[in-house]
Amino acid sequence: MKLSDSGQPPDEVDVIVTAWREQRPDLDVSPLEVLSRLSRVARHLDVARAQAFRNHQLDSWEFDVLAALRRVGFPFALSPGALANSTHVTSGTMTTRVDRLLDRGFVTRFPDQHDRRGMQVQLTDLGRAAVDGAFTDLLRSESAILAGISMSDQHQLANQLRQLLNQFEPE
């Protein structure tokens, strides 16, 4: 097996890049080497995440909302607006999501003590068990995905991806 320039076995992206370089030598196709791989890794990650959530009878949006509540710590409560901001959805979408999570017994809703017009959404014990189980499975799956990469390389990759992501999501 012929190795790539990096000393790694070639992948499908190498084949695509080589073909484009032959067909369009006038273009710099080097962005494909990074971004096509990111796209393909993201698809594999989406499958692994969906499986971790499915194992706990959760949709990805349900995990997102429950995880946002779990991360804030005790008493695991946020306003619907804060939840919408945290999960990057509209307030209307969040209202629908909270209603569905209420129906499943994963959250409760109660008046905000500090804002008489506002509400708080709180994680129930059932919701906490679901999100904790799914998160444990998710981390197990993601650790397996990264198992072939040294911790040092993982840290370097995380820093490089942060730099790339900050171009789209600045502080």
Side-chain angles (χ1 to χ4, degrees):
M1 173 182 2
K2 183 182 177 200
L3 299 180
S4 69
D5 293 342
S6 68
Q8 298 290 319
D11 61 15
E12 191 173 340
V13 173
D14 289 317
V15 173
I16 292 168
V17 168
T18 298
W20 275 120
R21 283 189 174 131
E22 289 173 7
Q23 295 303 312
R24 291 298 308 268
D26 57 312
L27 295 176
D28 175 13
V29 297
S30 61
L32 294 175
E33 296 187 80
V34 174
L35 300 177
S36 291
R37 286 186 176 96
L38 270 178
S39 177
R40 289 164 187 258
V41 168
R43 283 197 303 267
H44 290 285
L45 183 56
D46 286 345
V47 168
R49 286 182 166 190
Q51 184 61 51
F53 303 153
R54 221 176 3 261
N55 289 345
H56 296 273
Q57 292 77 48
L58 293 175
D59 288 329
S60 61
W61 68 264
E62 290 173 311
F63 177 83
D64 287 347
V65 175
L66 298 176
L69 291 167
R70 181 66 170 98
R71 286 192 308 265
V72 298
F74 187 81
F76 311 113
L78 288 170
S79 70
L83 275 173
N85 287 337
S86 178
T87 59
H88 306 283
V89 298
T90 66
S91 61
T93 297
M94 184 52 63
T95 298
T96 301
R97 290 181 175 186
V98 168
D99 288 345
R100 292 167 101 184
L101 291 170
L102 280 163
D103 290 344
R104 293 200 61 193
F106 289 147
V107 299
T108 60
R109 186 170 36 204
F110 59 91
D112 189 327
Q113 295 176 352
H114 304 290
D115 179 0
R116 289 187 300 154
R117 298 170 300 155
M119 298 294 288
Q120 289 283 301
V121 177
Q122 185 174 37
L123 194 60
T124 63
D125 290 342
L126 182 63
R128 185 173 172 189
V131 72
D132 283 354
F135 188 57
T136 299
D137 283 359
L138 175 64
L139 288 177
R140 188 177 301 120
S141 176
E142 289 183 354
S143 292
I145 288 170
L146 292 172
I149 302 174
S150 72
M151 285 305 291
S152 173
D153 285 347
Q154 287 181 42
H155 290 299
Q156 184 179 2
L157 179 58
N159 287 330
Q160 292 167 338
L161 290 171
R162 181 181 302 107
Q163 183 178 2
L164 180 61
L165 188 58
N166 280 337
Q167 293 179 47
F168 298 97
E169 300 175 2
E171 273 188 63

